[in-house]
Amino acid sequence: MSTAESATPSRTTSPATEATTPPAGGTATATAPGPGPRRTPGLVPVTETRGTAERTPREPEPGRAGGPAAPLPRRAGAFWRLLGSELGLTFRRPRNLLMLSVLAIVPIIIGIALSLVSAPDDGIGGVIASVAGNSLMLTFFAFSFLVLLLMPVTVSVVAGDALAGEAGAGTLRYLLAAPAGRTRLLLVKYLNAAIYAYAATAVVALSSLLTGLVLFPAGPLTLLSGTTISMGEGLVRIAVAVGYVGAAMAALAAVALALSAFTEVSIGAIAATMVLVVVCQVLRAIPELDVITPYLLPARFTDFDAVLRAPIDWAALWDGLLAFAAYIALFGSIAWARFSGKDITS
Amino acid sequence: MTAVTSEAGAPFGAAPPSGGEAIVTRGLTKRFRSGQVAVDTLDLSVPRGSVFGFLGPNGSGKTTTIRMLLGLVKPTAGEYSVLGLPQAEALPRVGALVEGPAFYPYLSGAANLMRFDAADPTAPRATARRRIAEALERVGLSAAAGKRYRHYSLGMRQRLAIAAALLGPRELLVLDEPTNGLDPQGTREVRALVKEIASDGTTVFVSSHLLAEVEQMCTHAAIMRTGRLVAHGTIASLSGGLAARIRVETPDAAGAARVLGALGLADVRTDEGGTVTAELGGHAPERLNAALVGEEVAVRGLAVVRPSLEDVFVRLTGEGFDVDG
Amino acid sequence: MRRGTFVRWGVPIAAAAVIGAAIGAGPVIAAVSGDPVLPERSAEQLLADAAAATGKEGGIPPMSGTVQQTASLGLPSLPALSQAGASSPLSLLSGSHEVKVWYGAADKLRVAMPTQMNETNLIINGGEAWYWDSATNTATRVSVKAPAAPTHTPAPVPQTPDLTPQQAAERLLAQADEHTTVRVINTAEVAGRPVYQLVLSPKDAGSLVQEVRIALDGETYVPLQVQVFAKGSAEPAFQIGFTQVTFTPPAAENFTFTPPAGAKVEENTLALPEEAGRHAEEHAERAKDVAGEAKVVGDGWTTVAVVPFDLNDVTAQASQEGGEGAALLDSVLASATPVSGPWGSGKLISTKLVTALLTDDGRLLVGAVTPEEITRAAGVK
């Protein structure tokens, strides 16, 4: 770095230092508390030119030579390094891995349970029959079940913990003093949560696919519209569903992250997100409130079933993605407004 | 920008001439939303190259000041400048220990340092491992580098936090209560480390509520009380404001007091325990001893008492230095 | 600092404003730009054109789209409705419902009702009709001679062969004039298409209906929307119409249906007309009985139907049949307010659009009229 010899004022304070700091040296200035004009230490006149004049490019590891105010180069890829560090933290954390494995196990349990229900005649019919009839259907069935509660819980734990957890543990102050930069850190935290959301979605899809292939016959897939498509096209539709559900969970992550910026107790942000999800699910069930239903985020979660229609209901998927983008923009900017102006006192 | 636009208007914060101040604040004030004024119009200047003691009882606003300097807390009013640079430029050159260590318990010491190094956009990734090894070596944690933080002792945690502050070449080290939780051996090590770092020309800004610690380590000091600056200057100038006193232990207190008074010493006082003290002024202690003995006053003990920072604090504030705040 | 705070929070506020604007853009733009988007037409001209366009060879042009039906009749909260499920006809009384429609020609039609992780389809292609229900995994083949009239056929315009569309329109309007004011709005849009709105407003003050708006596509004259507005309400009490529509021939795959492997296939040749016939006969008999005792009070928009009605009978029957009917009846009766007057006493059930009076002397009066009007009708013996 840049503490050159020139920048090393000896401890036997130099005249220059003395001159600019009246309270130093000589006599101690006892500024008694109370009213009256205060003595201000003589501040050095601002020389704006100097800071910019010395902004010359420097070799990567400048060492100890060079002027004290020579700008430090911002490393290319520093953002990705921080994101990598964040991802490493998320995917090494035992709690997060445990949640992913629960998401992987649930489709297996569903699959086994469905394979044991050999008689689909007892009124359950429909979806279950089609799951038993085709291995790919289990993925959609698992989604329609997990997307209501378990996947939102998983995602809000990671996103709700993102800022509140660091604040509560005190690591946030060291990250910001590093300096990670508030906007940059927030962006990294959100990308991390979104990637985790997609990872959770992919885990459900992969586990369901494998379970389905083991337990049920492979082959052409019957859609909800009664049309039959090839297995290859079925896999493509699973990929589309993963893209949609992942985006849904990423939108929820934005809400959880915004709540996370308001507290230092991560369980508070997580619980608040879950309360919102559950309240929305309840509101959805009230027919009088159908007017607001399309604007509720969880109401869009189940719309991935649009890929199971013939033709694919792209309009429903597109509407859903627009809603997710709106939620991400709104709650992302709330998170930013809060976090960039927050006093970090933990 | 480091500078904060205050009610006063113009921001400041461009570089002062080299060899100037590492930290300058002007009218720095923080009023929390609760209405509590943590820091009240603070004017501080920390010369480059100094070891600056930031003294005050707990709750006197030291940590809030440090948080403002590090950009963690936004001042309500006033201005500040760290290393004369904009904040984003200054912070990579500042190593900080704020209010005790805080790390990820499920990561090893080295992995924790890697995490904070990754947060610094100016830190080169290529040299990260070497710099982390060096920092751990410096605080004597090399052997525990791979151990999870959760299993660290209090002293090890504190040293890891200091290692984090030493990850890069620093121009300014801000250490908030660096010896908290350390045993006497650890405290001595930290003091030695601070001296070593300072000898490289790095400015060290140490906050403490322990006067003795500051007296031993620092060249300059500032004293805070309930958010306000009480005194500010070199250690010598701060303690020089109080006269040295002579203390005589004697069975003949009245005689001693008479002799000292006759010699022209000011402020002669007799304590209950038979101890007589007086301002030393320009007198040589050995002469005083000879004079006392010559007047047949038995002297059991004789000492010159120089004032401590605590005495300075008590004199300036008229109250005791409440360590527990 | 405070300035910084305002600037920061300005960002989410701006984001909210943009999102709100995007959501409300349609109605707002429609409201702001009141400029005529279609050439002005009189009601007579419009009806004549519509009759000419839809009456000609080929009828309705090929189209596809999404039809949404919304009802907010102001019915008391009906828990039974939410339990009834989306496929129950009772569920149409409240909330909103959506079906997708593909129309190729008079004998090519697909109507799909998507529900969560399920779908029911009615596919008519030539003489063949399939009904597919994914919930039961059942495909039912129905053979019908002619396609059942789809629900969205244009409003019946009387067409007598010896009348030109112009004459038919004139006659229709002349008949309507007694009770109704008819006007045409040419600035509205439905599903992004400019439409003519035929607005029918009752002249009688006793009617609960503010107006009925029928939207005809400006180009094809296909009815795209029907709205019924209740008095004193800016939102339609009942609405059915396209939320999205395209006038291009739908893909042929929409009209071909092959029962998927593993599905139950039921043949229902001719069963539908027979069944329907039998039911119709029964209903007709009952209706005759009822009609014998039923009468009508008033005319035009304020017509009130008076039917002999024994509450106990109905309750008994409903509870026998069980299910949602009984539940609905219970909740409706629970919300009724007792009233009395010179005509006697009874229970009044009022909604935004319909008022019903159940008198203690065993009559049921129903009409789209105000409670005052219906009690007046109750006095007419």
Side-chain angles (χ1 to χ4, degrees):
Chain A
M1 207 177 277
S2 50
T3 24
E5 292 86 319
S6 65
T8 315
S10 62
R11 217 146 309 136
T12 57
T13 42
S14 68
T17 314
E18 292 283 277
T20 54
T21 47
T27 53
T29 318
T31 19
R38 296 184 57 84
R39 291 189 57 181
T40 38
L43 288 166
V44 182
V46 173
T47 46
E48 288 284 357
T49 47
R50 195 176 167 282
T52 47
E54 289 198 2
R55 266 164 222 256
T56 46
R58 302 179 56 181
E59 61 268 38
E61 182 81 70
R64 312 201 120 232
L72 292 165
R74 290 178 84 86
R75 310 279 160 181
F79 180 84
W80 304 111
R81 185 179 174 209
L82 183 55
L83 181 59
S85 157
E86 193 69 41
L87 286 171
L89 216 59
T90 304
F91 285 95
R92 267 187 296 179
R93 191 157 182 186
R95 181 193 68 189
N96 299 348
L97 295 177
L98 182 74
M99 291 192 300
L100 286 185
S101 42
V102 168
L103 285 183
I105 289 167
V106 171
I108 300 175
I109 296 173
I110 295 175
I112 292 172
L114 290 179
S115 71
L116 295 178
V117 181
S118 47
D121 304 325
D122 49 355
I124 324 168
V127 180
I128 293 180
S130 27
V131 169
N134 190 285
S135 50
L136 299 190
M137 207 62 186
L138 181 62
T139 309
F140 298 104
F141 188 69
F143 270 150
S144 66
F145 176 70
L146 290 174
V147 96
L148 297 177
L149 198 64
L150 214 48
M151 286 173 68
V153 168
T154 307
V155 169
S156 25
V157 165
V158 170
D161 187 52
L163 296 173
E166 300 259 17
T171 43
L172 186 60
R173 63 174 183 263
Y174 285 112
L175 286 176
L176 292 181
R182 297 199 182 199
T183 306
R184 185 166 159 266
L185 183 64
L186 188 70
L187 201 58
V188 161
K189 287 281 180 190
Y190 181 66
L191 284 180
N192 174 66
I195 291 170
Y196 185 82
Y198 266 100
T201 313
V203 160
V204 171
L206 285 178
S207 164
S208 313
L209 257 182
L210 292 178
T211 311
L213 287 173
V214 169
L215 292 176
F216 304 110
L221 173 70
T222 301
L223 299 177
L224 293 176
S225 306
T227 317
T228 304
I229 57 167
S230 72
M231 196 166 160
E233 203 188 326
L235 288 174
V236 171
R237 294 197 179 206
I238 285 181
V240 175
V242 167
Y244 181 85
V245 173
M249 293 300 122
L252 182 68
V255 177
L257 188 66
L259 292 169
S260 186
F262 281 87
T263 173
E264 282 160 21
V265 190
S266 52
I267 194 72
I270 297 165
T273 314
M274 288 327 298
V275 166
L276 284 181
V277 168
V278 171
V279 165
C280 287
Q281 306 280 26
V282 170
L283 292 181
R284 254 181 99 183
I286 303 174
E288 281 77 9
L289 299 177
D290 272 1
V291 192
I292 60 161
T293 304
Y295 307 114
L296 302 178
L297 182 61
R300 300 285 187 176
F301 288 175
T302 48
D303 283 355
F304 68 87
D305 62 3
V307 305
L308 284 177
R309 312 201 186 273
I312 294 181
D313 192 351
W314 292 111
L317 293 181
W318 179 243
D319 282 357
L321 290 178
L322 278 181
F324 300 152
Y327 268 90
I328 292 171
L330 181 61
F331 282 89
S333 58
I334 288 174
W336 176 81
R338 170 64 182 164
F339 186 60
S340 62
K342 191 185 187 185
D343 280 347
I344 310 297
T345 52
S346 61
Chain B
M1 278 294 287
T2 323
V4 177
T5 324
S6 67
E7 297 117 330
F12 85 96
S18 74
E21 280 74 29
I23 298 171
V24 186
T25 74
R26 189 164 65 186
L28 196 63
T29 301
K30 180 61 190 181
R31 185 180 292 108
F32 281 109
R33 208 162 283 182
S34 59
Q36 178 214 348
V37 181
V39 177
D40 191 359
T41 44
L42 177 66
D43 298 326
L44 198 64
S45 73
V46 176
R48 275 189 193 253
S50 63
V51 177
F52 195 99
F54 196 41
L55 264 169
N58 290 339
S60 58
K62 302 189 303 285
T63 300
T64 304
T65 306
I66 288 176
R67 282 179 182 276
M68 283 193 278
L69 295 177
L70 295 175
L72 298 173
V73 167
K74 297 235 176 335
T76 314
E79 302 158 343
Y80 66 93
S81 158
V82 176
L83 298 171
L85 292 169
Q87 190 144 62
E89 278 284 314
L91 284 183
R93 303 160 200 257
V94 179
L97 165 64
V98 195
E99 252 185 309
F103 291 97
Y104 304 91
Y106 47 91
L107 294 184
S108 70
N112 266 300
L113 294 190
M114 188 58 105
R115 163 79 172 157
F116 290 110
D117 193 57
D120 179 356
T122 65
R125 182 184 224 152
T127 58
R129 285 192 185 286
R130 179 173 58 74
R131 286 182 291 112
I132 286 167
E134 281 171 8
L136 287 170
E137 177 74 45
R138 238 174 144 177
V139 298
L141 275 180
S142 295
K147 201 167 155 183
R148 278 177 199 272
Y149 176 75
R150 130 172 355 113
H151 303 303
Y152 274 29
S153 70
L154 200 58
M156 288 163 86
R157 291 176 178 202
Q158 190 78 11
R159 280 189 279 169
L160 187 64
I162 295 174
L166 296 174
L167 270 177
R170 309 292 193 197
E171 288 172 43
L172 170 65
L173 210 55
V174 177
L175 301 174
D176 187 12
E177 306 276 2
T179 55
N180 245 11
L182 293 184
D183 54 14
Q185 170 64 20
T187 308
R188 271 194 296 278
E189 282 171 15
V190 166
R191 277 187 208 144
L193 195 61
V194 166
K195 282 206 173 102
E196 185 199 321
I197 293 162
S199 68
D200 295 347
T202 306
T203 312
V204 184
F205 186 78
V206 195
S207 92
S208 181
H209 65 269
L210 300 174
L211 296 145
E213 186 172 278
V214 168
E215 270 185 308
Q216 287 176 44
M217 280 195 285
C218 301
T219 59
H220 294 66
I223 301 177
M224 295 280 284
R225 178 179 159 269
T226 57
R228 282 171 172 271
L229 192 64
V230 187
H232 190 214
T234 62
I235 293 288
S237 69
L238 283 171
S239 44
L242 281 183
R245 294 178 75 85
I246 184 149
R247 199 179 72 193
V248 182
E249 280 174 38
T250 171
D252 181 10
R258 181 175 40 80
V259 172
L260 293 177
L263 286 169
L265 273 71
D267 193 21
V268 180
R269 290 186 206 165
T270 305
D271 293 354
E272 284 172 25
T275 309
V276 179
T277 66
E279 273 186 25
L280 189 54
H283 299 271
E286 60 275 16
R287 290 271 176 97
L288 292 176
N289 190 23
L292 286 166
V293 173
E295 293 288 330
E296 292 186 345
V297 176
V299 177
R300 285 177 183 161
L302 186 139
V304 176
V305 183
R306 304 213 172 266
S308 69
L309 280 177
E310 179 150 7
D311 298 321
V312 176
F313 187 86
V314 170
R315 183 177 64 86
L316 291 172
T317 64
E319 32 186 275
F321 196 105
D322 184 10
V323 169
D324 296 322
Chain C
M1 184 203 170
R2 283 142 214 82
R3 193 178 57 108
T5 308
F6 283 129
V7 171
R8 266 197 312 280
W9 284 99
V11 176
I13 290 167
V18 168
I19 293 165
I23 292 171
V28 168
I29 290 169
V32 170
S33 63
D35 302 322
V37 284
L38 289 171
E40 279 191 31
R41 295 279 165 97
S42 70
E44 197 180 299
Q45 275 174 310
L46 181 64
L47 284 179
D49 286 351
T54 53
K56 71 173 188 257
E57 192 67 27
I60 305 169
M63 60 189 283
S64 59
T66 308
V67 175
Q68 195 181 45
Q69 176 259 338
T70 318
S72 59
L73 296 177
L75 275 175
S77 171
L78 302 179
L81 290 187
S82 42
Q83 290 155 17
S87 55
S88 156
L90 278 177
S91 69
L92 295 178
L93 285 178
S94 133
S96 80
H97 301 273
E98 217 174 68
V99 294
K100 299 209 173 282
V101 177
W102 292 263
Y103 178 80
D107 60 348
K108 280 192 197 306
L109 172 72
R110 175 180 168 202
V111 180
M113 184 157 172
T115 52
Q116 194 183 318
M117 280 301 273
N118 268 317
E119 188 170 317
T120 48
N121 265 292
L122 176 67
I123 295 159
I124 297 166
N125 191 359
E128 194 180 57
W130 283 98
Y131 178 75
W132 160 255
D133 185 358
S134 77
T136 54
N137 201 16
T138 311
T140 311
R141 183 191 196 127
V142 190
S143 292
V144 276
K145 273 184 192 164
T151 47
H152 65 290
T153 43
V157 178
Q159 281 185 65
T160 328
D162 55 333
L163 285 180
T164 64
Q166 196 68 36
Q167 288 168 316
E170 269 172 34
R171 184 174 291 186
L172 191 70
L173 286 173
Q175 285 168 356
D177 190 53
E178 190 187 344
H179 303 290
T180 314
T181 320
V182 181
R183 65 198 163 98
V184 174
I185 298 175
N186 57 347
T187 55
E189 271 194 8
V190 170
R193 292 181 67 89
V195 292
Y196 286 109
Q197 273 189 327
L198 195 63
V199 185
L200 314 173
S201 325
K203 286 180 175 171
D204 199 316
S207 172
L208 279 180
V209 177
Q210 172 76 35
E211 57 190 31
V212 176
R213 293 185 176 210
I214 301 163
L216 302 179
D217 185 63
E219 194 184 321
T220 63
Y221 297 101
V222 172
L224 293 184
Q225 191 181 57
V226 176
Q227 293 172 308
V228 183
F229 288 83
K231 283 240 164 77
S233 169
E235 295 295 314
F238 177 86
Q239 170 174 327
I240 184 164
F242 284 93
T243 53
Q244 181 266 319
V245 67
T246 40
F247 285 94
T248 49
E253 298 94 87
N254 283 306
F255 308 112
T256 56
F257 183 80
T258 319
K264 270 184 284 178
V265 179
E266 288 174 3
E267 293 281 336
N268 226 343
T269 326
L270 295 175
L272 183 66
E274 252 180 35
E275 190 112 325
R278 194 155 7 99
H279 272 287
E281 270 167 39
E282 279 173 25
H283 279 281
E285 260 171 50
R286 276 194 65 186
K288 241 181 249 168
D289 291 350
V290 171
E293 304 156 49
K295 61 175 181 175
V296 166
V297 179
D299 57 358
W301 294 90
T302 51
T303 305
V304 174
V306 187
V307 187
F309 186 84
D310 191 341
L311 184 58
N312 296 330
D313 273 4
V314 178
T315 326
Q317 196 190 342
S319 55
Q320 239 173 36
E321 287 170 8
E324 52 201 44
L328 177 63
L329 196 64
D330 281 350
S331 55
V332 167
L333 286 178
S335 72
T337 46
V339 285
S340 61
W343 47 269
S345 63
K347 283 179 175 158
L348 185 74
I349 301 151
S350 55
T351 70
K352 274 192 219 165
L353 213 51
V354 177
T355 308
L357 178 64
L358 197 58
T359 62
D360 292 344
D361 56 7
R363 287 178 300 153
L364 172 67
L365 293 88
V366 182
V369 293
T370 55
E372 295 74 43
E373 193 76 12
I374 209 158
T375 48
R376 204 171 54 77
V380 181
K381 294 272 174 172

